[in-house]
Amino acid sequence: GVQSLQTKTHHLSEIESKRILVVDDNLTNRNIFKVQLEHWNLEPVLASSGKQALHILSTQNGFDLVLTDMHMPEMDGTELANSIRTQYPHLPIMLLSSMGDELSKDHKDIFCSVLTKPIKQNILYKHIFQNFGKPMNNPTEDPNGFQQFPENFSMKYPMQILVAEDNEINQQLALIILGKLGYQPDVVSNGREVLDSIQAKSYDVILMDVQMPEIDGLETTGMIRKQNIIQPVIIAMTANAMQGDKEECLRAGMDDYLSKPIKVEELLRILEKWASAARERA
């Protein structure tokens, strides 16, 4: 009995920081996997081709699992897996395929799982954990779980959202997360574009990166606050989660504060918190 109890408690900490090589030629898919895997405290490393994946495996150590797409140009998932097998016979490889099961029958020996796309989060989670040889909690009860993208969130809290962020990967991630919540945010990459955007359209919430080129987030906020418009809720996004920074953001006229990389549950909490305030200002 003791053993199973311990396994239960260490369940999440044991798989934390496991490294997963994600191979997919589609950038959006790679970013979605990155968001989901990091949310489960795993460490994804992304490759856009079989060739790149093999290069990463030969130059970096310590991967616990490979997650590969089937249909990729040049080298497909099975060719990649065969190649990996010869060099790393014990590395588990999961295949994601839109072809599904007929394919897995032919290749049962090289893959530890074959999953059909689009893949549900709880199924992905279950297979990843099983392939680390760990006992499974029921995913729906998992403390790190899947209720991270609540249904109807954007209907419950309707808002026009502007994301101001100059880093393309962070832009992508913000778009993916907000999109999964049902929002269709606009994205700009500097303060000047923010000022143009709010002239053209009324926003309830601006997620504002603090470190942007030209006019940074603090300056931009100061300029917005002087304007005679229905004032948006402005949430700072910054990589330095120092107490002093927080105060500086609030002094500059920002309403609240998110540290980067953005965590889904933090974003949910903040959107929920400010949704009613945004409505009152309108």
Side-chain angles (χ1 to χ4, degrees), residues 21 66-67 76 80 179 183 232 250 259:
L21 181 58
V66 177
L67 193 58
D76 73 16
L80 171 62
Y183 296 106
L250 299 174
S259 54

Side-chain angles (χ1 to χ4, degrees), residues 116-185:
T116 309
K117 296 201 300 191
I119 171 90
K120 287 198 168 64
Q121 278 184 304
N122 53 341
I123 310 250
L124 178 65
Y125 172 92
K126 191 173 137 185
H127 281 268
I128 286 176
F129 277 52
Q130 280 172 342
N131 290 321
F132 290 147
K134 295 284 174 259
M136 279 301 300
N137 283 349
N138 181 341
T140 50
E141 294 161 12
D142 184 74
N144 239 13
F146 308 97
Q147 305 320 315
Q148 55 163 324
F149 295 113
E151 282 182 25
N152 304 333
F153 191 87
S154 62
M155 284 157 80
K156 201 167 163 190
Y157 306 106
M159 287 179 270
Q160 293 291 338
I161 300 176
L162 178 65
V163 176
E165 162 69 76
D166 62 317
N167 175 308
E168 230 171 275
I169 292 175
N170 292 340
Q171 278 182 10
Q172 282 286 334
L173 294 182
L175 280 175
I176 289 166
I177 295 171
L178 289 166
K180 283 197 161 204
L181 293 172
Y183 296 106
Q184 295 173 314

Side-chain angles (χ1 to χ4, degrees), residues 64-104:
D64 300 285
L65 181 69
V66 177
L67 193 58
T68 179
D69 188 38
M70 176 61 193
H71 305 282
M72 297 183 291
E74 291 174 39
M75 187 189 301
D76 73 16
T78 41
E79 291 167 341
L80 171 62
N82 280 318
S83 222
I84 293 174
R85 271 285 151 272
T86 56
Q87 301 171 56
Y88 314 94
H90 302 299
L91 183 58
I93 307 169
M94 288 171 61
L95 179 72
L96 297 171
S97 161
S98 36
M99 303 290 286
D101 293 340
E102 61 277 16
L103 206 144
S104 60

